[in-house]
Amino acid sequence: MTSPILRLDNVSVSYRTRSGIVPAVTGVSLEIAAGESLGLVGESGCGKSTIGLAIMRHLGPSGELTGGRILLSGREMSTLTPEALRRARGGECAMVYQEPMSALNPCLTVGEQLAEVPLAHGERDRAAARRRAVDLLMQVHLPDPRRMMEAYPHQLSGGQQQRVVIAMALLANPSLVILDEPTTGLDVTIEAGIVDLIASLSRRYGTALLYISHNLGLIARVCGRVAVMYSGEIVEAGPVAEVFADPRHPYTRGLLLCLPRAALDKRLHPLRPIRGSIGAPQDRPPGCRFVPRCDHCAVGRCDAGPVALEFDGKQRAVRCLRWTEIAAVDDPPPRERHDEKPAEAVLLDVRGLAKHYEVATKGLGAFLPWRRNRLLKANDNLTFRVRRQQVLAVVGESGCGKSTLARVLMGLETATAGRAVFADVDLAALPVERRSPAQLRLLQMVFQNPDETLNPSYSVGAQIGRVIKKFGIARRRREIRDEVERLLALTRMPAGSATRRPSELSGGQKQRVGIARAFAGNPEMIIADEPVSALDVSVSAAIVELLLDLQRERGTTLLVISHDLGLVRYVADRVVVMYLGQIMEVGTAVEMFAPPWHPYTEALLSTAPSFDATTQGRRTVLQGEIPSAMNPGPGCPFHTRCPRKLGSICENVKPIEQRTSSGRRISCHIPVVELDRITIPSGIVEDLDTRP
């Protein structure tokens, strides 16, 4: 039998802290063969990234391998000399980090950094090293690779930076590549291209892949096996298809119940987040570590002593004493959220809204009086309506103008043209400093990153209380305190959290504070900009349910900006699809996930990661360049990447907006009756199963 590329044998890792030794990982064992792909999943703090760092021996001065062995191609990593370890890193094992800029030197060109890799691993000819780098940039589908070689990292987009890091990891043909959240924050189209690229290169070179992620849809798409971690140990492992179809450990079942499914109705089947959170390593219970959060715990049995990882004699393993008993028990029926039918009254009416930015002419042309500044069209002729108590989702790739629309509505920018009538007031040309307190109160926002909007110097209670006082919800100190406590209780924050500062809270708790602050003024409408994009699935489910519950209880209207189509399918009543500042399609959420589709919508849906059987099929892989927003051309802005392009009409004539009998709007030259006949994406397609 062929020896595995990577073998972890009962590995334990601890960190030295001021409060003592903290055991981060205990007794982890796993193997990855050549050309195989293994997913490592779990919530933040479970030890996933520590495993990756331990393999690379990047634990830092405070981290230490306290037990077990890590074998890479049969050699024990802990016994390598510094010189042998340097050769192993990059040469035999490489790592792709979550944030590409943390791995790229901003002072060196892309070419200089890429050429360093083969030169450090035996290549003597610098010209040959650069040729190898150019060749790999072509393989990762970067446009004009020779120009990219001369660019600095900050001159590239996030997707381009990630492709450069992947190319860097693969330059020395390593036997193992570790990918730590390689696609977090990327658009689904870019994510699809990156994971397909990694899979194809793995098949070509026989590279073993270790994916570290909390994105279960991604793991289902790209991995053959999965290991689920909780509180520093593996609690379940096996083939991806079997584990996700028939989870045995209560924690795995809980993770899957946190995810929106295609068949779920938000009114009848709310998501079920796992209660509580992973405890600190020094506070782990003596028995099963999941006991404090488990609905199937048997007192006196599950908490009596350590639980071993049990193998079934095949490929499945589970760390649970009651998994056979639990398998016969149905999950408790979900509580029903009886939403009232959304009111028909229009709350926000956007008509022909445009936001253009002047971009100064550079070089000698700036001194020529006839050379005008160019216009960047961030939003161009946007038209849609939002009805009261409705959830409208705005989706599209980065740079499509979603956040610009939010800034215009909030008054942080003023529109170049058009109207945005909200509660009988046109906000398009009304900056935030000219809005009355009543207008400010009625429209609030939940931001993607709460750290950027919470003042670290003030307590949570003080920041929420300021909103309550400013908008006249309460005046007296006691009344303000009571309202703060009520809001924190509504957002399910721990008792006493009003006196804590943001630095003392977790990411999910900070987002809850942001939501409490947004609802503090009893707004008519909330704009939520990527509210759960960087959160674990359990925390994400809790935040989503919190927003929907508050919306139902208070009759608030939600405008959700997101690139997570699974989330959009679950929460939205209507969907607006944007591309390069323009609207491609508008319709109900039910309509949007069934043909006919605009070709761009079809591509977004087909590339979205999912483990739903209803979404399995073939998918469109977009290629071609995105036109500049300063010169999108006279025709359809999507024609440069469209797999269904008709010809010159798409390049030169702006598509008409077609309407279906239900009111759905699609801006495309292809007649709706023809789009309705399309059931399988054509053009540039690949099989959905890209697992090596």
Side-chain angles (χ1 to χ4, degrees):
M1 182 177 177
T2 305
S3 299
I5 293 295
L6 175 69
R7 180 181 176 187
L8 271 62
D9 185 8
N10 204 32
V11 167
S12 296
V13 177
S14 296
Y15 288 96
R16 292 185 297 276
T17 67
R18 291 181 179 179
S19 58
I21 302 296
V22 175
V25 170
T26 56
V28 169
S29 298
L30 56 85
E31 293 182 354
I32 309 178
E36 188 181 20
S37 181
L38 172 70
L40 200 58
V41 304
E43 295 171 287
S44 297
C46 71
K48 306 187 303 295
S49 294
T50 296
I51 290 292
L53 295 173
I55 295 169
M56 297 293 294
R57 281 185 59 182
H58 273 315
L59 291 171
S62 62
E64 182 182 2
L65 183 69
T66 54
R69 299 186 304 162
I70 299 175
L71 302 174
L72 182 64
S73 298
R75 295 194 301 167
E76 189 168 348
M77 294 292 287
S78 62
T79 63
L80 295 182
T81 64
E83 177 61 24
L85 180 61
R86 187 186 69 82
R87 290 196 302 268
R89 290 173 178 162
E92 296 181 40
C93 179
M95 190 164 182
V96 177
Y97 295 90
Q98 177 176 353
E99 174 50 58
M101 281 303 290
S102 65
L104 295 173
N105 189 327
C107 300
L108 298 178
T109 65
V110 167
E112 289 175 301
Q113 297 183 63
L114 289 173
E116 281 182 346
V117 178
L119 290 172
H121 293 282
E123 178 61 61
R124 301 298 180 188
D125 186 348
R126 181 170 292 273
R130 290 184 64 85
R131 286 195 299 271
R132 166 74 174 147
V134 170
D135 179 61
L136 207 52
L137 288 181
M138 292 177 64
Q139 293 185 47
V140 298
H141 308 303
L142 277 171
D144 196 354
R146 296 188 184 280
R147 180 179 63 83
M148 289 288 176
M149 291 282 286
E150 305 306 319
Y152 287 90
H154 72 273
Q155 295 174 305
L156 308 183
S157 69
Q160 290 172 334
Q161 291 170 0
Q162 193 68 296
R163 289 171 187 245
V164 168
V165 171
I166 292 169
M168 188 180 296
L170 296 170
L171 262 170
N173 293 331
S175 304
L176 171 71
V177 176
I178 303 168
L179 303 112
D180 190 0
E181 300 283 7
T183 60
T184 296
L186 296 182
D187 297 317
V188 291
T189 52
I190 295 175
E191 176 184 284
I194 286 177
V195 298
D196 287 353
L197 163 71
I198 296 169
S200 65
L201 293 175
S202 172
R203 288 192 294 268
R204 180 181 304 175
Y205 299 112
T207 308
L209 302 175
L210 175 60
Y211 272 93
I212 298 171
S213 181
H214 63 254
N215 186 338
L216 301 187
L218 173 67
I219 296 300
R221 168 168 283 177
V222 301
C223 294
R225 292 190 299 120
V226 64
V228 183
M229 287 194 68
Y230 183 81
S231 191
E233 61 185 11
I234 293 176
V235 296
E236 185 165 1
V240 166
E242 294 182 24
V243 171
F244 286 173
D246 180 28
R248 294 177 177 176
H249 196 281
Y251 178 62
T252 311
R253 297 178 72 172
L255 288 178
L256 295 174
L257 288 172
C258 290
L259 298 174
R261 305 269 186 140
L264 291 186
D265 185 321
K266 65 179 179 180
R267 296 171 178 83
L268 302 177
H269 299 278
L271 303 179
R272 285 181 268 183
I274 304 172
R275 56 185 172 85
S277 59
I278 296 179
Q282 56 268 35
D283 297 329
R284 288 168 179 157
C288 173
R289 296 176 183 178
F290 190 58
V291 160
R293 307 172 71 187
C294 184
D295 294 326
H296 303 281
C297 168
V299 178
R301 182 181 172 192
C302 296
D303 55 357
V307 180
L309 194 63
E310 179 183 340
F311 294 84
D312 65 357
K314 299 178 182 178
Q315 300 184 60
R316 299 289 298 274
V318 62
R319 194 184 298 271
C320 179
L321 298 175
R322 303 191 62 221
W323 74 266
T324 53
E325 304 166 35
I326 294 171
V329 178
D330 292 330
D331 291 309
R335 58 182 178 81
E336 293 188 2
R337 184 197 290 111
H338 295 288
D339 290 352
E340 297 179 2
K341 183 180 179 181
E344 294 297 323
V346 174
L347 178 62
L348 174 65
D349 189 1
V350 176
R351 295 284 170 179
L353 189 72
K355 176 59 183 177
H356 300 165
Y357 297 94
E358 279 198 359
V359 179
T361 302
K362 295 183 179 180
L364 294 176
F367 299 97
L368 302 177
W370 60 85
R371 291 290 297 273
R372 297 181 179 179
N373 291 341
R374 294 180 295 172
L375 289 180
L376 188 153
K377 298 180 179 180
N379 289 157
D380 195 24
N381 195 28
L382 304 185
T383 298
F384 61 89
R385 287 179 171 180
V386 186
R387 299 187 181 277
R388 290 184 182 274
Q389 301 180 45
Q390 190 178 69
V391 180
L392 177 81
V394 181
V395 302
E397 296 171 287
S398 297
C400 72
K402 304 187 301 292
S403 295
T404 299
L405 170 63
R407 288 196 295 270
V408 170
L409 294 178
M410 292 301 299
L412 304 177
E413 304 271 6
T414 54
T416 306
R419 294 165 57 82
V421 179
F422 173 75
D424 299 324
V425 177
D426 186 3
L427 302 180
L430 192 63
V432 66
E433 57 269 17
R434 287 174 45 202
R435 297 185 183 183
S436 67
Q439 291 168 341
L440 293 174
R441 180 184 68 81
L442 291 177
L443 184 61
Q444 289 291 302
M445 189 163 181
V446 176
F447 295 87
Q448 177 177 0
N449 188 352
D451 281 318
E452 296 178 358
T453 60
L454 295 177
N455 192 322
S457 302
Y458 290 89
S459 69
V460 164
Q463 297 185 61
I464 298 174
R466 181 175 181 271
V467 177
I468 294 169
K469 184 176 181 180
K470 179 179 178 65
F471 292 142
I473 305 301
R475 295 290 185 186
R476 298 179 182 275
R477 183 174 298 180
R478 177 63 181 269
E479 293 174 345
I480 293 173
R481 188 178 67 219
D482 290 345
E483 182 65 13
V484 168
E485 291 178 354
R486 189 180 69 82
L487 282 166
L488 290 175
L490 275 176
T491 53
R492 301 170 183 83
M493 286 290 291
S497 56
T499 59
R500 300 168 69 183
R501 286 184 167 83
S503 61
E504 301 174 67
L505 305 178
S506 68
Q509 288 175 330
K510 291 175 188 176
Q511 194 65 292
R512 289 171 187 266
V513 171
I515 292 171
R517 187 175 61 179
F519 277 92
N522 295 327
E524 290 279 349
M525 182 173 177
I526 295 283
I527 299 175
D529 188 2
E530 299 282 8
V532 297
S533 64
L535 301 177
D536 291 324
V537 290
S538 182
V539 179
S540 172
I543 296 298
V544 168
E545 288 305 307
L546 171 63
L547 279 170
L548 293 177
D549 283 344
L550 290 173
Q551 183 225 6
R552 175 183 59 82
E553 293 170 8
R554 299 197 170 202
T556 309
T557 304
L558 287 181
L559 192 155
V560 178
I561 295 172
S562 180
H563 65 254
D564 183 344
L565 296 178
L567 171 68
V568 167
R569 186 173 194 168
Y570 178 72
V571 305
D573 298 308
R574 291 184 66 80
V575 181
V576 172
V577 181
M578 290 184 63
Y579 182 80
L580 209 67
Q582 301 180 40
I583 290 178
M584 298 289 101
E585 187 168 357
V586 180
T588 66
V590 174
E591 292 174 327
M592 200 62 62
F593 289 87
W597 295 293
H598 187 284
Y600 178 59
T601 308
E602 177 189 48
L604 288 179
L605 295 174
S606 69
T607 53
S610 174
F611 55 87
D612 274 337
T614 57
T615 62
Q616 302 301 302
R618 297 170 69 86
R619 57 196 175 97
T620 305
V621 180
L622 292 180
Q623 294 186 351
E625 288 296 301
I626 301 176
S628 169
M630 291 185 287
N631 185 27
C636 175
F638 186 56
H639 80 268
T640 58
R641 303 168 74 197
C642 183
R644 306 191 187 284
K645 180 180 173 182
L646 297 178
S648 61
I649 186 174
C650 296
E651 300 173 6
N652 302 313
V653 180
K654 191 173 181 64
I656 60 172
E657 186 176 82
Q658 305 178 70
R659 291 178 179 263
T660 66
S661 58
S662 64
R664 186 176 186 177
R665 296 156 43 199
I666 300 177
S667 296
C668 185
H669 286 295
I670 304 173
V672 168
V673 290
E674 292 187 21
L675 292 173
D676 199 19
R677 298 192 189 107
I678 300 169
T679 56
I680 300 176
S682 62
I684 306 168
V685 297
E686 295 184 44
D687 289 329
L688 180 63
D689 188 2
T690 59
R691 293 186 289 269

